[in-house]
Amino acid sequence: MDSKVQELVSEQEWQMRVNLAACYRIVAHYGWDDLVFTHISARVPGPEHHFLINPYGLMFDEVTASNLVKVDLQGKIVMDSPYNINPAGFTIHSAVHEAREDALCVMHLHTTAGVALSTLEGGLQAYSQQSLFPLSSLAYHDYEGVALNPDEKIRLVADLADKNFMILRNHGLLTCGETVADTFLYMFLLQRSCEIQLQAQATGQPLIKIPDPILDGIQAQAKQVTRSVGGALAWPGILRKLDKVSPGYDQ
């Protein structure tokens, strides 16, 4: 069945599948995966509200364009697949996709640095240049347990509003964007910001925060800033890297 998927879908859907599979592979390459328990989803181009998500049980470095599972907003599989999906995982993703027409890709991870920072009462601070990008469009969502309660979707999307970065307290990180490339780059910046902050705080030395006027200036231009950080510029290089270190994602 897998070898025929490309023949059964549009050229636009196949390209989305390739990019999403690549995103799973590059997340695995950076060691940001959590066995099989986090997710990246993308909306299928076209009028239907259909989405692609990882097959539950496969490691991120096993995801390919063909084995991604296509579902509707309720998480019902709409194209024959030998795989199932994680219902808790899609609860978060479907909420964002449904509320945000511009959120064509949604990434949720449980990285060590992301979860660690999510437990800090003060959250992300303006300690690095990298942090300015997420801080220009950052939301927080309080922990409510494993994401199986449909009622939580209402609160999650209310907290996210029009932001592209979210810290889920005691849980992890989330980014969303208009493309897979942008969504990955948002996560790269958020993850790197968490790593830098935690390492800086671990020194126990007084830290220098970026002055508020600089941060305020970026927040005033949030949409321009977050849309010009170079997702499309970096993505071809990421694909070239994957062709060397994790080939087969485009199969």
Side-chain angles (χ1 to χ4, degrees):
M1 174 256 183
D2 282 356
S3 62
K4 299 180 181 178
V5 170
Q6 186 172 3
E7 302 171 12
L8 297 174
V9 302
S10 68
E11 182 179 346
Q12 293 78 11
E13 177 176 336
W14 183 252
Q15 190 56 55
M16 181 63 81
R17 284 174 171 270
V18 169
N19 283 328
L20 184 58
C23 199
Y24 276 99
R25 296 292 187 96
I26 197 66
V27 164
H29 174 75
Y30 279 111
W32 298 346
D33 46 347
D34 183 18
L35 295 179
V36 299
F37 298 113
T38 59
H39 312 276
I40 316 163
S41 60
R43 181 170 173 176
V44 175
E48 304 88 358
H49 279 67
H50 289 165
F51 305 87
L52 301 169
I53 197 164
N54 53 318
Y56 198 27
L58 294 191
M59 301 292 281
F60 278 20
D61 62 2
E62 296 178 302
V63 174
T64 68
S66 294
N67 66 29
L68 287 160
V69 182
K70 183 156 64 172
V71 300
D72 61 18
L73 269 174
Q74 287 69 50
K76 179 183 177 182
I77 296 173
V78 296
M79 181 175 176
D80 286 345
S81 172
Y83 303 102
N84 290 313
I85 68 164
N86 181 348
F90 197 64
T91 296
I92 291 173
H93 290 254
S94 64
V96 179
H97 283 300
E98 186 173 11
R100 292 273 299 274
E101 282 290 325
D102 62 321
L104 300 182
C105 181
V106 178
M107 181 184 300
H108 168 49
L109 301 179
H110 300 158
T111 66
T112 301
V115 176
L117 190 130
S118 78
T119 70
L120 300 182
E121 187 174 342
L124 185 65
Q125 300 293 318
Y127 290 143
S128 65
Q129 177 172 278
Q130 288 84 348
S131 71
L132 297 180
F133 295 99
L135 285 170
S136 73
S137 185
L138 181 63
Y140 289 86
H141 177 65
D142 289 338
Y143 188 63
E144 298 189 26
V146 177
L148 286 170
N149 181 4
D151 292 341
E152 184 180 357
K153 295 168 65 170
I154 299 170
R155 292 181 288 276
L156 189 147
V157 299
D159 289 337
L160 180 63
D162 62 348
K163 306 295 194 296
N164 292 319
F165 301 81
M166 174 174 266
I167 293 174
L168 298 109
R169 294 193 183 278
N170 309 100
H171 187 174
L173 307 176
L174 183 146
T175 59
C176 60
E178 294 183 354
T179 66
V180 172
D182 284 346
T183 305
F184 172 76
L185 189 55
Y186 295 164
M187 183 60 74
F188 183 90
L189 290 166
L190 183 55
Q191 168 70 9
R192 185 58 56 86
S193 299
C194 294
E195 293 170 346
I196 292 169
Q197 178 172 327
L198 292 169
Q199 289 192 33
Q201 290 174 323
T203 68
Q205 298 297 309
L207 302 181
I208 301 170
K209 290 186 70 173
I210 293 173
D212 287 342
I214 295 177
L215 177 58
D216 293 343
I218 288 183
Q219 288 176 323
Q221 304 174 53
K223 292 188 183 299
Q224 293 91 327
V225 170
T226 54
R227 293 186 182 185
S228 62
V229 290
L233 183 64
W235 194 246
I238 290 169
L239 296 182
R240 292 193 299 272
K241 176 187 282 290
L242 286 173
D243 288 336
K244 291 180 283 189
V245 303
S246 188
Y249 64 90
D250 55 350
Q251 301 302 307

